[in-house]
Amino acid sequence: MESGGGNASDDIDAMFSDLLGEMDLLTQSLGVDTIPPESAKLNQDSEFKLSIGFMDVNESLNALEDTDLDALMADLMQDINATEQVCNAKALAASSQAFSDSEFWNSTKTPDFPEFYSEPPASPRRYTELQSLDLPPPPPDVTLPPPPPLEPPEPLTKEEQEARAKADKIKLALEKLKEAKVKKLVVKVLMNDSSSKTLMVDERQTVREILDNLFEKSHCDCSVDWCLYEKNPELQIERFLEDHENLVETLSHWTRDSENTLLFVERKEKYAVFTNPQNFYIAKNKAEGKDMKEKNKGALLEECFCGTSVIVPELEGALCVKEDGKKSWKRRYFLLRASGIYYVPKGKTKTSRDLVCFIQFENVNIYYGMNYKAKYKAPTDHCFILKHPQIQKDSQYVKYLCCDDPWALQQWVTGIRIGKYNKTLYDNYKVAVQKAGLASRWANLSNVEPTKSSISAAPQPNGHPGQLQQALNPVSSAFPQTCKQEEKRTYNADTNYPPPPAHLVCQEPMRGEVEELPPPPPPSFEPSPPPFLPPQMPAEHSRPKPGPPPPPTRHFPSATSAAPPPTLIKRKNSGASNEPKPSVRFVDLPAPPPDPEHFPEPPPDFLPPPPPCFNSNSGGPPPPPPPPPPPPSNPTINAVKRPLVPRRSDNTGITSNVRPGGGGSSDKPDLMSDLMKVLQKKRAALNE
Amino acid sequence: MALSGIDASWELKIAVEETGPEADPITLRVTGDIHIGGVILQLVDKMEIKKNWSDHGLWWDQKRCWVLKTNWTLDKYGIQADAKLVFVSQHKAIRLQLPNLKTVKVKACFSSPVFRSVIGICKILNLRHPEELSLLRPVEDPNQKKRRKEKDLEPEEVVDMESFATPRGIQSQGYFHPNGAHYMRDTPEGEAAYQILAISQPSVAPELIAKMYRPSSLIDKAQIHSRMSRHRGLVSHTELARFQNVTIRPLTTNLTVPLLSPLRQYDVVRINQLYEQSRWAVLLEEIECTEEEMMMFAALQYHINKCSLSGEAEEVHKSSEFDEVEAALSTLEVNLEGSNPNDVLDSITSIPELRDNLKLFRPKKLTLKAYKQYWFIFKEMTISCYKNQEVFGEPIQQMNLKGCEVAPDVNIAAQKFCIKLLIPAPEGMNEVILRCENEDQYAKWMAACRLAAKSKTMADSSYSSEVQNIRSFLRLQNANPSSQLASDTNAEDINTKSLVSFRYQKKYKIKQLTPRILEAYQNVAQLSLTETKMKFIQAWQSLPEFGLSYFVVRFKGQRKDEVLGIAPNRLIRIDLGVGDMVKMWRFNTMRQWNVNWDIRQVAIEFDENINIAFSCVTADCKIVHEYIGGYIFLSTRGKEHSETLNEELFHKLTGGHEAL
């Protein structure tokens, strides 16, 4: 604990200097553009991971004017300290859960109706003020990466001064922000591996924009199959959010104590109807599903989606249904029409006039039901449900449907989506394709540097170099697979750099296996294995080697799973003493969310998000059996490292990787990750 | 007579339309090598009637064809002295029934193929995409005649558009007035005609709908197409009487309805006619739909009628745009002045509130609790209820209506005005019923609930119109027309039964129907007129049976009749007895199709060596051929919807042996 504390305080210093830097940035921007830059400002504050309340404009303004800034700061401190404790507790608790909660906090307050808010009983007012102030610290809003022990009064005072000096400008900014009335949330997104990313989402952002964001932050292939995936463990349901949906709206339906999670995964089903329209529009059963020429596919899509009205696939068949809160499943003959789902009542024909409406799509979303055989005694596990998005628990208003086979399930889910979203779905797809194309090109460009270095440096058996080169080739988004691989490779290369390749190898094979089998589904669970691995590492070493060559990991996220690497790094550090300060190392890792672009990311991501990982990490270090063999890649590591660092600074302007305190210009993500680091350290210390 | 033998000339008798059928034909002395042009010249000279004869041509009665090639000689045509030729105008007025069941008189060309005539008619009516339309002969079977007679008792209003010539400069893509208006609107008569064409007609009395012809079976539906005429020259003047009534009818297919708003202005007529066609297709059960769909169609119709009658017409579009700009400007202003916090405060507090005594009831199983009165405050999207008007502390209950479902439960006779709310919560839906005292209160609260359900507050500009809508709908429901509420606006005098097809007229009473339509109506009440029509058309196109034309056919080697459905993208083989689809072939797997004109059989070859052949029972196989060819032609139209029409290709695809 004590040792950890020492480090922590260092880190905190660093953090605060970061913070100050950010304040500077903010104020600068304020000074420059006072009128137009609403959006700019918004972005900025989003960088702080703050949420802004709108309704409280006047309140907070008044508050600012009336109250002494000092007092405000003091309050702030109190709040922070209080929340910090809570957060710590929470983080610990969370770490014991397999599911890290992706909670988010809606920080919007409406002072107008204080009565309605059963919220933080203590000084709600202060709360609002804090938020509106944009001060980075409102840890309450932040989810996991919460509040590092803010202790030292010194930085605060500094801050205070700064704050005072800039109070006017901030005020101005506040007004603007309030006018914009933009609600923001901090959201944790679980990646395909155990890691996660924390994002600031404002209420105007669509899922598409957030995906783009995530593309930037993770080096995935940007294929059209990536999606945000909502999971509700309570109902055992999940669904991918459509690209045009508004994330904040979806999240605001979650309950405060929700165990729901948000994942960033690849789902082929998302746009399967556009990649293989014949399976939905022509084939009547699985046997008929054949391939089709691209040209014909295009014509078919044109026909179905480009007319005045979208053609909903003709779909009918017997499904089992469980509704009205009953326990039994009833078999009925259902038909899909553009206006809703209908069924044929007993003894009637399936002519339109006899059909009975089962449900219309306006107010419901569609979800996959997982393992319903066990949960609800469904006839099969191929279930889907329809419910109002706000319903989060089992209720009579949820409609459960069960198909005979996965093929039928896919048909129905897709058909219903087409019925519900119509042309929007196709538009989404077109944008996604476009983005994927751009992104892959972009990624290639940005990868160039690192690739080279890694290539030269790593003539490993892994074949990384070759792969990397492949990565260089412009891969069109149209071929997600290639893209994916490419991405993976780059990723591996990246990960390589910090940790000994050997380790990577070990872990990768495993992960690769896991992921390849069930592509994206259980990403959140996957992470768990790695944590336990570390101790066993040695034993597995032999295994990994064969695996490494073609980075088996399918998904970039797996790369992210580099999670293990971090630990490795640590050990290494201590062992190799590349850099004297372990804390520094840590910093490197955590910094995840911030660096949109590259390598450093993986480690950080992994750290902050899933508590389980934390455990592993913290657990890892203590028993540190420094994974010895950084065989052929050792040289590589160093070489790679360098290139990496520059990159980072290029992109993010963050030097903080090396020196936590240095990066005055680092953006919010850094701050968060820094916080994370501190927390982690603390935890590690505790464990020790 | 000997003379004639010498110089090889002979007498040709030509009747002239203008002189009347009784008048003697004019006799010309001609030789076999004289050109048609020369004949006409002689004829005109001899008649000595000063007139512009340029539109006239010769019709050969026995052969039932036009003799129009002026450079051909009589010999080439094979015209001899016994030929009965008539000199008539090539353009004549026809009475054309439009999809909205209005009849107009327009000039059509009788001497060119139907397709050409249709193009001409479309130019006059200023409709784009003539290739999607064709002419349909009126129903002629005896049953129909009876009906027709009844109907004829009421004098039919015919809009005379005969005088409308195609304005000069009209291209095939239509003529656009410099200021974007329809060319007809330049003159008062034109304006009147335009109103008929572009504005949807008010609903017909339900009894009338019940009387109109409804196809009741697949076979009935198959009959329609036997009346389609496409290729033959329209008609000779002698047949004119028979064909005076012609319906113009879209092949209900890939109707390209432009979605871009700038184009819409030019397409007002087209969209309206499409809407009318779809509306009648639904009302007359030509296409089947479910109850829910019917309610939605009814609500859309109601909204369209209301908009059309209130004169909003197309101006709606403009004004709404204007409003938007206005609104944007004013918000911008606010933004710029935003430095004054009081402004913000004002804007927040200026959201209107509702405060009233209402009765609350939560239906739960096994409870018989009565309605309980509370003091309710509706603010933003939240309803709070208090024990009484002294609002102390926490409300007893609070409901956030965002995303909730709102349903009316109204019975005017019983003075029951309830609002049913299904408020989503994590645990499920909370059912709450609010009971209002009177109509007025109900309209206000209901409107507020609906807006809140869509995440809008009462500050939204649509609030007052929403309240109005609810009021007028309540009036509709008022079974007693003599009540003091008697509609001040006749717009509201709509019988909801006239919005649904005969089946639902029978199935429901007005009392049951109106609330259901009202429920569907709340989803569409905010649409503009054109948007609503588009929505109707789209919903119609989304019906599974949309675009299917039925023909009774007999497949080769089969002993019983079956039905062939031709859709824009596929052929469907349907069991005549059950009505189930037996097999489907898509056009884009079609390799070729042939018609054996001798045995009247259509043979089609698809990919993978699938061959089918059938003969047609209810219609000429030529019509089937035209349908297939027409759809294939439509699918070849440029993706960019280029406006130039490839007539040659069209004829090639649909003309059959006549095109050769």
Side-chain angles (χ1 to χ4, degrees), chain A residues 124-195:
Chain A
R125 220 212 170 175
R126 235 177 278 140
Y127 226 79
T128 22
E129 281 158 13
L130 281 182
Q131 286 157 3
S132 50
L133 266 182
D134 278 0
L135 295 183
D141 298 351
V142 184
T143 334
L144 266 191
L150 295 187
E151 350 142 350
E154 327 154 292
L156 282 178
T157 33
K158 255 195 211 167
E159 216 187 358
E160 233 180 298
Q161 287 170 358
E162 297 245 351
R164 267 195 210 176
K166 283 146 193 169
D168 289 340
K169 292 187 176 179
I170 291 177
K171 220 162 73 181
L172 227 167
L174 277 182
E175 283 180 28
K176 296 261 159 62
L177 289 172
K178 277 155 201 162
E179 282 167 34
K181 290 192 179 180
V182 176
K183 196 205 282 188
K184 303 210 168 180
L185 296 179
V186 174
V187 178
K188 201 177 69 177
V189 181
L190 296 185
M191 310 303 275
N192 223 2
D193 55 4
S194 55
S195 74

Side-chain angles (χ1 to χ4, degrees), chain A residues 634-680:
Chain A
N634 257 346
T636 326
I637 295 169
N638 289 335
V640 179
K641 246 189 206 164
R642 257 155 225 170
L644 291 177
V645 174
R647 249 211 204 164
R648 245 205 173 180
S649 48
D650 286 349
N651 296 324
T652 353
I654 303 170
T655 358
S656 57
N657 297 346
V658 191
R659 268 186 222 165
S665 58
S666 65
D667 47 8
K668 68 155 182 205
D670 276 307
L671 205 151
M672 292 316 300
S673 53
D674 288 355
L675 293 183
M676 284 308 304
K677 282 174 232 157
V678 176
L679 262 186
Q680 254 186 281

Side-chain angles (χ1 to χ4, degrees), chain A residues 270-281:
Chain A
K270 189 181 182 192
Y271 287 129
V273 66
F274 301 113
T275 46
N276 283 304
Q278 74 280 6
N279 289 344
F280 299 89
Y281 281 97

Side-chain angles (χ1 to χ4, degrees), chain A residues 35 38 54-58 61-62 65 112-116 175-176 178-179 181 183 249 252-255 281-282 284 290 292 296 299-300 302-303 306-312 314 324 336-340 342 350-353 355-357 360 362-364 388 390-397, chain B residues 255-257 259 288-293 296 334-342 344-345 347-349 365 379-380 382 384 386 393-395 398 402-405 422 424-431 503-504 507 523 534 537-539 541-545 569-570 580-581 584 586 588 608 639 641:
Chain A
I35 295 177
E38 278 198 21
F54 341 123
M55 313 304 287
D56 49 338
V57 185
N58 294 298
L61 279 182
N62 291 337
E65 280 159 9
D112 295 1
F113 308 95
E115 328 106 76
F116 303 171
E175 283 180 28
K176 296 261 159 62
K178 277 155 201 162
E179 282 167 34
K181 290 192 179 180
K183 196 205 282 188
E249 204 182 305
S252 62
H253 293 149
W254 295 4
T255 53
Y281 281 97
I282 298 180
K284 285 282 162 256
K290 317 170 198 163
M292 202 180 193
N296 291 342
L300 189 58
E302 174 100 1
E303 184 182 308
C306 299
T308 316
S309 57
V310 167
I311 300 178
V312 176
E314 282 175 25
D324 298 334
L336 177 68
R337 294 169 74 103
S339 58
Y342 294 79
K350 43 179 198 176
T351 50
S352 306
R353 57 176 161 241
L355 296 179
V356 176
C357 187
Q360 296 188 291
E362 275 135 43
N363 291 316
V364 295
H388 192 288
Q390 230 156 309
I391 299 179
Q392 299 288 315
K393 295 177 181 152
D394 192 10
S395 116
Q396 55 168 324
Y397 298 97
Chain B
L255 303 162
T256 44
V257 181
L259 289 166
E288 294 208 326
C289 62
T290 63
E291 209 170 300
E292 283 71 20
E293 286 157 355
M296 178 198 54
V334 171
N335 283 348
L336 291 176
E337 296 166 358
S339 52
N340 180 359
N342 289 329
V344 188
L345 192 64
S347 74
I348 291 170
T349 52
K365 274 176 203 165
K379 199 171 181 185
E380 301 213 17
T382 310
S384 320
Y386 299 87
E394 295 287 304
Q398 237 177 23
K402 197 176 162 188
C404 77
E405 291 175 31
L422 262 188
E427 296 76 27
M429 305 289 241
N430 289 325
E431 223 173 317
R503 174 177 304 125
Y504 296 101
K507 191 167 175 186
N523 293 327
M534 291 295 298
I537 296 169
Q538 283 170 2
Q541 291 182 325
S542 303
L543 296 175
E545 287 176 46
N569 58 359
R570 64 200 192 278
D580 277 353
M581 183 176 92
M584 183 201 45
R586 295 172 48 79
N588 57 15
E608 296 170 7
K639 303 249 153 52
H641 301 303

